[in-house]
């Protein structure tokens, strides 16, 4: 009887394990737009294709109150939050650059002179490589590959910052370099460029996107937005050939919908070349859409250009889903996630009168002049990046002054600067704990080793002066923090989830779907929904 009982127990456990394995997806397709406010899909729903965004919203679960809980909502910071399930206070990615007090210089998020760029033979010489050396916390892709060495993770983006912060330290990580926008990786990830990527480059398949005109998907009368900027990239303005020739291939890719299409095209190549999701070892592919971010920044979310980009993106998503259904035998075992790294502020020139903009360079100079008047001549301010002002701590120490006192005086003076609503010191953020309010949102994005001495918050809808961009992200306001979040596929019950969702929940939730442990630094809860 004991033997029979043990055999029955073993059979039951095996059946349970088999069912559990069958219930997890073979493939997770993670699509992350650069700039998209939560209400965008509803605003433009009348022009959306039933096979693209409408397919996701009608058959998936839409989280209507998904928000980032910190002020730092720039692209690399938010991508790291999505990938790690942690806030910047834990994952350490506070922006695209910061001042390193140990090295005594500003450092780039991904630049690494100790690694080499791996591209095809005819790529231009790239002097500087990129690596995840500044990644502190493991990502979902890292967690998956640690859990199952036979699983695969692929991350594709136009820029190395987006690709690396989403991928983490492992997997196949690809971005574009050079005037021909070739796909590359670095020796931080591989010994050589994958064969299927080399073939894509060699055949110059990306030329189809570099040379593509930006043609509106609909007639002008169908657009919800009415504001068009008539930029040189916009074909309806019928620019001369000489004017068009001034536009570089890189600009065509990063600032037109063709950039998103190029990323999706390589993603489709990855699906078939790597046979992703074909076995019981689940895979993940991350698709980061930097062109969406650049178009929003250049033209503003109120523009026809931005709206048209969404319609092109809608078609790209439709084609990817259709491609997966045709070219795989497991389309019912795929989970698709769509979200955005952030929204965007209203363009400074979208209304009359135009909104004042924050002059960060002038801010540096004025704070330095203030400290000169108080404590004598010197380079008191080392620089400014992503709402953070970095003070010269060596100079402060040499003059035997209190860092806390200098920070406090500079922060108090900063509040007199036009456009600044709040200023808080690094010492305050390190020595106090804020439960809610603006200080809490700033604190959740504060990483002592990399954040500045004074963190500022601007007035609502106030953006930084730029020669090329009309808007930006990086605030704690709803237009930046409230984003779309949809999870679709593999038995997920369609509907709407109206409770508040912090974006740190995305990685742990996907880990649960994949039946693996969440990334080790993840702070978010697992979302509870039917599937």
């Amino acid at each position: 009887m004991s033997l029979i009982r043990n055999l029955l127990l073993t059979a039951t456990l095996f059946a349970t394990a088999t069912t559990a394995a069958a219930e997890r997806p073979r493939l997770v397709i993670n699509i992350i737009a650069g700039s998209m406010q939560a209400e965008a899909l509803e605003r433009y729903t009348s022009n959306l294709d039933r096979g693209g965004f409408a397919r996701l919203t009608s058959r998936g679960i839409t989280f209507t109150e998904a928000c980032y809980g910190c002020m730092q909502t720039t692209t690399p910071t938010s991508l790291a939050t999505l990938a790690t399930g942690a806030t910047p206070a834990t994952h350490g990615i506070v922006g695209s650059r910061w001042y390193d007090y140990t090295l005594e210089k500003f450092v780039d998020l991904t630049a690494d002179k100790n690694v080499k760029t791996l591209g095809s033979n005819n790529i231009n010489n790239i002097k500087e490589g990129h690596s995840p050396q500044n990644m502190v916390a493991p990502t979902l892709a890292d967690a998956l590959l640690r859990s199952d060495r036979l699983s695969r993770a692929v991350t594709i983006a136009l820029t190395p910052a987006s690709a690396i912060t989403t991928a983490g330290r492992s997997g196949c990580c690809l971005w574009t370099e050079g005037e021909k926008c070739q796909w590359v990786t670095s020796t931080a990830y591989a010994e050589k460029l994958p064969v299927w990527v080399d073939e894509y480059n060699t055949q110059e398949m990306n030329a189809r996107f570099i040379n593509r005109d930006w043609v509106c998907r609909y007639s002008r009368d169908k657009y919800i937005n009415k504001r068009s900027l008539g930029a040189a990239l916009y074909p309806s303005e019928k620019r001369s050939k000489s004017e068009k020739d001034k536009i570089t291939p890189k600009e065509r890719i990063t600032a037109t919908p063709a950039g998103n299409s190029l990323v999706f095209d390589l993603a489709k190549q990855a699906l078939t070349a790597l046979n992703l999701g074909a076995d019981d070892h689940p895979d993940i592919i991350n698709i980061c859409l930097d062109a969406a971010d650049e178009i929003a920044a250049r033209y503003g979310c109120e523009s026809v250009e931005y709206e048209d980009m969404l319609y092109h993106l809608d078609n790209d998503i439709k084609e990817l889903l259709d491609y997966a259904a045709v070219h795989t035998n497991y389309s019912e075992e795929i989970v698709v996630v769509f979200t955005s790294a952030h929204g965007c502020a209203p363009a400074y020139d979208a209304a009359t009168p135009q909104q004042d903009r924050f002059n960060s360079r002038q801010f540096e100079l004025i704070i330095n002049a203030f400290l000169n008047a108080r404590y004598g001549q010197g380079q008191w301010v080392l620089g400014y990046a992503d709402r953070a002002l970095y003070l010269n701590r060596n100079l402060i120490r040499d003059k035997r002054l209190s860092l806390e006192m200098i920070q406090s005086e500079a922060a108090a003076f900063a509040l007199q600067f036009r456009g600044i609503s709040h200023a808080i010191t690094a010492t305050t953020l390190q020595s106090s704990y804020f439960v809610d309010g603006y200080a809490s949102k700033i604190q959740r994005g504060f990483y002592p080793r990399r954040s500045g001495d004074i963190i500022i918050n601007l007035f609502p809808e106030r953006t930084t002066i730029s020669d090329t961009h009309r808007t930006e992200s990086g605030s704690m306001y709803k237009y930046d923090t409230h984003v779309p979040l949809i999870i679709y596929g593999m038995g997920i019950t369609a509907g709407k989830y109206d409770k508040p969702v912090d974006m740190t929940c995305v990685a742990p939730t996907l880990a649960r779907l994949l039946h693996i442990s969440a990334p080790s630094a993840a702070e978010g809860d697992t979302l509870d929904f039917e599937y």
Side-chain angles (χ1 to χ4, degrees):
M1 289 296 292
S2 176
L3 177 61
I4 295 174
R5 188 183 302 110
N6 288 336
L7 288 172
L8 287 173
L9 178 60
T10 300
T12 301
L13 291 173
F14 177 78
T16 302
T18 303
T19 301
E23 287 176 351
R24 70 177 180 177
R26 290 175 176 266
L27 175 65
V28 171
I29 301 176
N30 196 19
I31 305 171
I32 310 167
S35 289
M36 193 171 181
Q37 296 173 345
E39 61 269 19
L41 294 182
E42 185 174 351
R43 174 176 172 78
Y44 304 113
T45 187
S46 60
N47 289 331
L48 296 177
D49 193 293
R50 286 182 295 175
F53 282 123
R55 187 191 310 189
L56 298 181
T57 55
S58 63
R59 303 183 196 176
I61 181 166
T62 300
F63 298 88
T64 61
E65 297 299 324
C67 289
Y68 292 96
C70 62
M71 183 182 74
Q72 288 76 359
T73 49
T74 57
T75 297
T77 301
S78 293
L79 288 176
T81 295
L82 283 169
T84 65
T87 61
T90 298
H91 65 59
I93 306 302
V94 297
S96 57
R97 59 191 291 267
W98 57 81
Y99 190 84
D100 188 310
Y101 284 106
T102 302
L103 300 176
E104 296 187 348
K105 66 177 182 178
F106 274 94
V107 298
D108 180 85
L109 167 60
T110 61
D112 187 350
K113 64 181 180 181
N114 296 316
V115 301
K116 294 181 179 179
T117 298
L118 299 175
S120 299
N121 292 331
N122 59 342
I123 192 172
N124 294 336
N125 183 36
I126 305 297
K127 295 181 180 179
E128 191 171 62
H130 295 272
S131 82
Q133 65 172 344
N134 288 320
M135 293 291 291
V136 175
T139 64
L140 179 67
D142 292 329
L144 175 63
L145 297 179
R146 288 178 183 177
S147 173
D148 189 338
R149 63 183 181 84
L150 297 180
S151 290
R152 285 157 297 180
V154 180
T155 303
I156 303 171
L158 294 180
T159 66
S162 293
I164 290 171
T165 51
T166 306
R169 294 183 172 274
S170 49
C172 177
C173 184
L174 302 164
W175 59 90
T176 59
E177 292 281 9
E179 282 301 298
K180 291 189 176 182
C181 301
Q182 283 199 6
W183 290 105
V184 303
T185 187
S186 83
T187 51
Y189 291 99
E191 295 181 355
K192 62 181 180 179
L193 190 69
V195 173
W196 63 277
V197 182
D198 184 49
E199 291 176 354
Y200 191 96
N201 288 337
T202 302
Q203 295 172 20
E204 296 190 352
M205 295 175 69
N206 53 5
R208 295 170 294 150
F209 304 96
I210 294 174
N211 300 322
R212 180 183 293 179
D213 282 335
W214 186 345
V215 179
C216 287
R217 288 192 61 81
Y218 303 112
S219 60
R220 278 294 186 93
D221 61 306
K222 290 194 68 175
Y223 286 77
I224 310 300
N225 296 341
K226 302 304 178 186
R227 177 174 180 259
S228 176
L229 301 172
L233 294 175
Y234 204 61
S236 63
E237 303 302 322
K238 299 181 180 179
R239 302 283 174 171
S240 67
K241 184 178 185 300
S242 62
E243 287 176 315
K244 290 180 180 178
D245 288 343
K246 294 178 183 177
I247 304 167
T248 66
K250 193 75 172 181
E251 195 172 18
R252 283 188 179 276
I253 287 299
T254 58
T256 75
N260 292 334
S261 299
L262 173 61
V263 173
F264 275 101
D265 192 63
L266 191 71
K268 287 185 280 190
Q269 297 292 323
L271 284 178
T272 50
L274 300 177
N275 210 13
L276 296 179
D279 54 31
D280 292 332
H281 306 277
D283 303 320
I284 185 169
I285 181 167
N286 297 309
I287 302 171
C288 303
L289 305 173
D290 294 302
D293 194 13
E294 183 65 18
I295 291 169
R298 287 191 179 218
Y299 304 111
C301 292
E302 312 85 355
S303 66
V304 172
E305 287 87 346
Y306 178 79
E307 181 181 353
D308 188 62
M309 179 276 295
L310 289 182
Y311 298 148
H312 282 274
L313 175 56
D314 184 38
N315 185 67
D316 288 331
I317 291 174
K318 174 184 180 298
E319 290 185 352
L320 177 69
L321 297 179
D322 290 345
Y323 186 92
V326 171
H327 290 83
T328 65
N329 298 318
Y330 51 87
S331 59
E332 298 302 316
E333 298 173 76
I334 296 175
V335 166
V336 179
V337 182
F338 178 83
T339 188
S340 180
H342 48 73
C344 65
Y348 81 95
D349 58 351
T352 304
Q354 293 183 358
Q355 175 67 272
D356 287 338
R357 293 194 287 175
F358 176 69
N359 190 324
S360 60
R361 181 55 183 157
Q362 188 181 73
F363 175 59
E364 290 181 55
L365 294 174
I366 289 177
I367 294 293
N368 199 75
F370 165 73
L371 294 175
N372 277 336
R374 292 277 290 159
Y375 300 105
Q377 292 296 311
Q379 185 186 358
W380 296 95
V381 175
L382 297 174
Y384 171 89
D386 294 320
R387 306 289 199 273
L389 189 76
Y390 294 84
L391 299 178
N392 190 335
R393 296 184 181 180
N394 288 338
L395 178 59
I396 294 170
R397 184 176 59 251
D398 290 344
K399 287 184 174 287
R400 297 183 178 181
L401 297 171
S402 164
L403 175 61
E404 181 179 359
M405 178 183 68
I406 301 295
Q407 288 176 344
S408 296
E409 290 187 0
F413 183 76
L415 291 174
Q416 300 179 41
F417 197 86
R418 193 170 183 176
I420 295 179
S421 60
H422 304 92
I424 190 166
T425 69
T427 300
T428 300
L429 291 169
Q430 288 179 272
S431 60
S432 306
Y433 177 71
F434 300 96
V435 178
D436 53 25
Y438 82 91
S440 173
K441 292 180 179 179
I442 292 176
Q443 191 169 53
R444 294 187 81 196
F446 179 80
Y447 192 73
R449 292 176 62 90
R450 296 172 178 175
S451 296
D453 290 280
I454 301 164
I455 313 298
I456 64 168
N457 180 43
L458 302 180
F459 288 134
E461 302 186 5
R462 190 69 56 96
T463 58
T464 307
I465 289 177
S466 167
D467 293 334
T468 57
H469 293 171
R470 287 173 168 80
T471 185
E472 64 183 1
S473 60
S475 81
M476 64 177 67
Y477 302 112
K478 206 70 177 275
Y479 51 72
D480 268 341
T481 60
H482 190 199
V483 294
L485 175 60
I486 306 166
I487 303 180
Y488 155 92
M490 197 176 168
I492 292 174
T493 303
K496 290 186 176 182
Y497 188 98
D498 295 326
K499 298 177 182 178
V501 170
D502 192 285
M503 295 303 285
T504 56
C505 295
V506 175
T509 299
L510 294 179
R512 185 189 72 168
L513 291 177
L514 290 166
H515 294 183
I516 63 172
S517 298
S520 57
E523 302 165 350
D525 297 324
T526 300
L527 298 175
D528 186 20
F529 56 89
E530 294 184 17
Y531 67 98

